Amino acid sequence: MRHQRRLSWFVCALSVLLALPLQAQVLISQVYGGGGNSGAQYKNDFIELFNAGSSPVDLSGWSVQYASSAGTTWAVTPVSGILQPGQYLLVQEAAGANTLATPLPTPDNTGTIAMSGTAGKVALHNAITALSGACPVAQNLVAYGSANCP
């Protein structure tokens, strides 16, 4: 009886894992706001994505989006490319005025979003339509500083 319960649990867990969509494998791995500000290490803001899964993911038609810490309006940068398992994708955003800051490595995608260095929200969305609301449902959402999302 005990082995049957373990097997049932294993089959249930396996079916849940197999049902996860490929997009659930792509995560926001880094967010850098305030690029180019006085004292900033990098000249540009950036968002880095990572494929934590075991299959390539086509990001065509996806976007990264940004809202201020209490904002409900989202700025959109479309992304594209095939993100291989274990690989990163760099999305370069707006540059600041600090000409002494280090330029980013060659980005995979570029946008013009100016992100706060202290608080904000970044979302990965499997569409290029702007999200709405303070804490929308997205593939992955990262809030930093005093942002109003958990």
Side-chain angles (χ1 to χ4, degrees):
M1 183 70 149
R2 209 167 156 189
H3 294 291
Q4 287 177 330
R5 276 190 236 152
R6 283 187 194 161
L7 182 58
S8 295
W9 179 86
F10 176 76
V11 169
C12 180
L14 183 60
S15 64
V16 167
L17 287 174
L18 291 175
L20 286 175
L22 287 178
Q23 58 260 31
Q25 301 175 34
V26 179
L27 307 170
I28 297 170
S29 57
Q30 286 191 65
V31 170
Y32 184 81
N37 288 356
S38 177
Q41 180 176 355
Y42 296 107
K43 183 177 172 114
N44 292 75
D45 298 337
F46 69 84
I47 301 161
E48 182 184 72
L49 305 179
F50 176 71
N51 184 348
S54 58
S55 301
V57 177
D58 184 355
L59 299 176
S60 300
W62 287 41
S63 63
V64 290
Q65 302 191 23
Y66 171 82
S68 64
S69 62
T72 58
T73 301
W74 293 78
V76 178
T77 296
V79 295
S80 62
I82 305 293
L83 189 54
Q84 297 295 328
Q87 298 296 307
Y88 295 88
L89 183 128
L90 179 62
V91 181
Q92 176 179 288
E93 294 292 356
N98 181 356
T99 58
L100 300 177
T102 305
L104 294 175
T106 303
D108 300 294
N109 291 248
T110 59
T112 58
I113 298 171
M115 299 164 41
S116 169
T118 57
K121 302 175 282 200
V122 175
L124 173 64
H125 188 41
N126 63 357
I128 57 172
T129 54
L131 296 165
S132 63
C135 298
V137 175
Q139 299 308 120
N140 189 211
L141 184 109
V142 173
Y144 61 99
S146 60
N148 62 357
C149 287

